[in-house]
Structures are given as C-alpha cells and as structure tokens.
C-alpha cells in the first residue's frame, strides 16, 4: 500500500510513492539515487545515515520515509558548491575513507546553527552519536573548529 | 521503531500520532508541568521551563544517547517502550509524575511507575495512548539522576538511579539493572532522617543491592551491577543534596 507524499528535497519540491515501513535512507537511495546517507549499523548508533529534516539531524535508518511529508529534507548532496563545513573538513583532513563524513558534516551543521561558537565539549556532545571507523576524531574536531571560524568569516 | 527495525515486531499497520497536537509543553494547575506525549526529548531538554523548574530532567536528557536520537524520540515513546534501560521512567517515577492515558473507555491518570509490568512490557490496554505527562513542581525537594554506562559514554545505561530528597526523607528508584523501574524501599527506610550519615548510606547501599532482582546483560553481570548499586546509592544521594535548585 503506497501513498504519495510531497516534500522539499535539497531545495526542490518533489513527490514520491512510499510504503508505510519504508525508511528515509531507502527512499533517498531507491527513489532519488542519493547515496550520501548510507545505512551501516541500522540502529541509530553510528550516524552514517544522517539526514537533516527541517534543520534537525535524524537517523535515516530509523526514520520512516512517510514522516517527511511537507518537510524540508537536506542531504550531503545539497547545493552545487561546498559549504564552510565541507571546506573545513577538506582543509583539516577530517576523514580518511570518507564513509562517515556526510553524517559528520550534517551533524556539524546542526551544531553550528545552534551554537555558532562551540567549545570542544559542545563538539564532542553533538558528535558523540557519529562513529568514524578510521578514527579521524582529532582531525574531525579540528575541522569543526575551523568550520565555526569560516562561518563567522574569520 | 527500534523493535520493528530489529525484526521483533512486524506490524500490519502503522499509525502516526503526529497530527494529534500532543507536542506542547505548558503550565498546568498548582505549578504542574504538562508535557504532550509527542514532545521530542530534544524539545524537553531545551525547554526553558524545564531547565528552570526541573533542572534534573534537563541534566538527565543531556546524557541520554545523543542529539540525533533526542531530535526524534518522543516522551510518549520513551515511556511506552518499557525497555528498563531507559532513563525517563525511573526519574519521572521518583519525581512523582503521572501519565494521562486516553482509550476507548475515556481518559485515566496513572503514576508513571504503574506503566511497567516487566522487561519491554507496559501495562497500557489495547487501544490506549499516553497523551500527556504531568510533573509536579519540585518545590523544596532536591533531585538527582545518575547513570553508569559501560561500553561507551552515550551507551544505554547499566544502571540508572534517581533520588529525590524531601527534608530528611529520600525516594530512590533504580532501573536498567532491574527489569523495570523499582523503588528501593529498604534503602529508603534505613536513610530516613539519616541522609547525611555515611554509615547509613553504606548500609542503605548494601540493602538496596539485596532487595531487588538484578539481571545480567550486555552491560554487565548481575554481581557487577549489585556493586554499582552499592556505590551509586551514596553518590546519588550526595548529588541530590548538592543539587543547585
Ligand atoms: C541508538 C539509540 C540509543 C538510545 N539510548 C537510549 C538511552 O540511553 N536511554 C533512553 O532512555 N533511551 C534511549 N533510546 C530510546 C529513545 O529514547 C526513544 O525513546 C525510543 O527510540 C522510542 O521513542 P520513539 O518516540 O521513537 O517511539 P517509537 O519507536 O515510535 O515507539 C516506541 C513504542 O512506544 C509506543 N508508543 C509511542 N508513543 C506512544 C504513546 N503516546 N502512547 C502509547 N504508546 C506509544 C509505540 O507503539 C512503540 O511500541 C535510544 C534510542 C536509540 C536509537
Ligand atoms: S545506520 Fe543509521 S545510525 Fe547507523
Ligand atoms: S573516515 Fe573512514 S569511517 Fe570516518
């Protein structure tokens, strides 16, 4: 039993036919060919599937696709140009293999929207639900600090 | 959602509660805080009213998993799921909070602790929904919630302990180590009028570890969790005494 939902995806008005149990990751991958949010743990633990829904980070693996009806959905594929956070992750080498990076970048966007000048504790607090198997944590924290400076234009 | 994802539940129908307008936090009669069941844990954490009147709840929420989980998890889901490792049930029980439950027979009100029958088992009847919770004002009471996580800082707890002090009396609830939120009556009795006495605190910790049935699980063996109870009881009482409120 599929139902049509409408929402905004990376700034564009879209619609999709979704089944009640379908997750947001499944919809993005199968319906829109967007693979930036990927399922790894499938239990809300790792953050690889992070998607912003109305500006708040959610685990796409545990979020029902039908719940994004009328919402603003942003994935790592959003926008033509790299934003300050992505640029900072590149400059500070905030990744090795890059599998976890979309999740860290999107979580960092929520952090900087809510706390433009985060302390190291704030950074760890917001990113504690994102796991990096390559262990790039020190570089990631440096990247977030750099992103905060870039956003302020200093 | 977690149970569905894990394949434990295979529902034939899914019903969203999102359009029921149950996501507000408001002031009720006599200083009671009324929280809609669809309020997210993150909204509760960021509520100025909660921070001001029940800072113990704000502090507890900041240790509950991570921001991404709290962005989505709702108060109603956190109470109905009945996993003993959850943080709100023991804390809200200790604070004397109640749930308003709506069903085919109308509305009823029940203490939070009465929602639990056992591991992953709640006492809601068929067709019933939690619509709100009511949290009484702290007043002169002081409260603390301590948890111990064993695998990572933001893991589900191996022990959750809530203490509310009212004058010389303590109300103490434990969860995670037990199969549902459980009041530590023997420990409370020992502490009556003696909450500052180190010896009484040690005795109460020992009594607490013996008065409840403790389960071994991924977070620790039963013996380990008994030791945690002994140690955390005094710490939690101490924390409550020093709570800034
Ligand atoms: C990785 C991870 C770690 C977590 N760690 C913790 C932790 O350390 N401590 C903790 O406390 N929690 C933890 N949680 C749980 C989280 O707090 C949520 O409470 C949980 O996911 C359920 O909330 P939900 O609103 O998503 O409910 P759902 O998954 O939508 O529902 C859960 C159950 O409750 C029922 N239900 C929901 N709302 C109502 C209602 N209003 N009335 C009656 N029944 C209802 C549903 O039918 C379902 O059976 C964790 C979750 C994840 C994903
Ligand atoms: S795949 Fe969703 S949090 Fe790990
Ligand atoms: S860069 Fe490889 S998992 Fe993080």
């Amino acid at each position: 039993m599929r139902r049509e939902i409408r929402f905004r995806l990376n700034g564009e008005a879209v619609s999709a036919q979704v089944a009640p149990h379908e997750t947001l990751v499944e919809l993005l991958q199968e319906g829109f060919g967007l693979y930036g949010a990927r399922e790894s743990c499938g239990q809300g633990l790792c953050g690889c599937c992070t998607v912003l829904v109305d500006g708040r980070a959610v685990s796409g693996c545990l979020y029902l696709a039908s719940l994004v009806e009328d919402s603003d959905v942003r994935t790592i594929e959003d926008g033509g140009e790299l934003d300050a956070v992505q640029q900072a992750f590149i400059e500070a080498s905030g990744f090795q293999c890059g599998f976890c990076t979309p999740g860290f970048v999107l979580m960092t966007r929520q952090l900087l929207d809510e706390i433009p000048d985060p302390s190291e504790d704030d950074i760890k607090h917001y990113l504690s639900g994102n796991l990096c198997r390559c262990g790039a944590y020190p570089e990631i924290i440096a990247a977030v600090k750099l992103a905060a400076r870039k956003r302020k234009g200093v | 959602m977690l149970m569905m994802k894990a394949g434990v539940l295979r529902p034939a129908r899914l019903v969203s509660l999102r359009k029921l307008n149950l996501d507000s936090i408001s002031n009720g009669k006599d200083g009671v805080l009324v929280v809609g069941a669809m309020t997210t844990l993150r909204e509760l954490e960021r509520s100025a009213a909660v921070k001001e009147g029940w800072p113990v709840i704000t502090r507890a929420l900041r240790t509950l998993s991570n921001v991404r989980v709290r962005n989505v998890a709702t108060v109603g889901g956190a109470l109905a799921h009945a996993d003993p490792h959850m943080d709100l049930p023991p804390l809200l029980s200790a604070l004397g909070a109640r749930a308003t439950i709506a069903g085919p027979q109308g509305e009823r009100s029940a203490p939070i602790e009465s929602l639990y029958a056992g591991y992953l088992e709640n006492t809601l009847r068929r067709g019933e929904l939690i619509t709100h919770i009511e949290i009484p004002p702290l007043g002169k009471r002081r409260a603390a919630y301590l948890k111990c996580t064993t695998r990572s800082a933001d893991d589900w707890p191996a022990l959750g302990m809530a203490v509310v002090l009212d004058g010389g009396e303590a109300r103490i609830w434990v969860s995670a180590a037990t199969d549902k939120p459980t009041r530590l009556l023997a420990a409370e009795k020992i502490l009556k009028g003696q909450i500052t006495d180190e010896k009484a605190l040690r005795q109460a910790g020992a009594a607490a570890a013996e008065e409840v049935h403790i389960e071994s699980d991924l977070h620790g063996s039963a013996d380990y969790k008994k030791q945690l109870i002994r140690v955390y009881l005094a710490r939690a009482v101490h924390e409550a005494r020093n709570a800034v409120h």
Side-chain angles (χ1 to χ4, degrees), chain A residues 95-100 132-134:
Chain A
F95 51 83
Q96 287 185 40
C97 76
F99 193 79
C100 66
C132 172
R133 269 87 172 166
C134 296

Side-chain angles (χ1 to χ4, degrees), chain B residues 62-110:
Chain B
R62 282 182 60 80
T63 69
L64 189 155
S65 195
N66 59 57
V67 173
R68 209 178 55 251
V69 165
R70 301 199 294 275
N71 275 342
V72 178
T74 63
V75 169
L79 294 178
H81 186 45
D83 182 326
H85 299 96
M86 301 184 90
D87 296 293
L88 284 184
L91 175 56
L92 292 176
S93 299
L95 290 172
R98 300 179 70 86
T100 300
I101 298 161
Q105 268 95 50
E107 259 187 14
R108 65 186 176 100
S109 164

Side-chain angles (χ1 to χ4, degrees), chain A residues 54-128:
Chain A
D54 294 329
R56 292 168 314 139
V58 309
S59 304
C61 70
L62 288 179
Y63 203 81
L64 290 173
S66 59
L67 296 179
V68 303
E69 182 156 34
D70 299 329
S71 301
D72 180 67
V73 177
R74 305 263 166 187
T75 68
I76 196 65
E77 290 89 351
D78 185 24
E81 287 177 25
L82 300 180
D83 80 333
V85 179
Q86 288 166 305
Q87 200 63 47
F89 268 71
I90 294 172
E91 285 173 31
S93 306
F95 51 83
Q96 287 185 40
C97 76
F99 193 79
C100 66
T101 315
F104 273 100
V105 168
L106 294 172
M107 200 65 228
T108 301
R109 285 193 192 149
Q110 183 184 346
L111 163 64
L112 296 181
D113 287 347
E114 292 176 359
I115 310 178
D117 203 3
S119 66
E120 187 146 333
D121 277 352
D122 293 328
I123 296 173
K124 289 181 180 167
H125 185 78
Y126 273 72
L127 298 183
S128 70

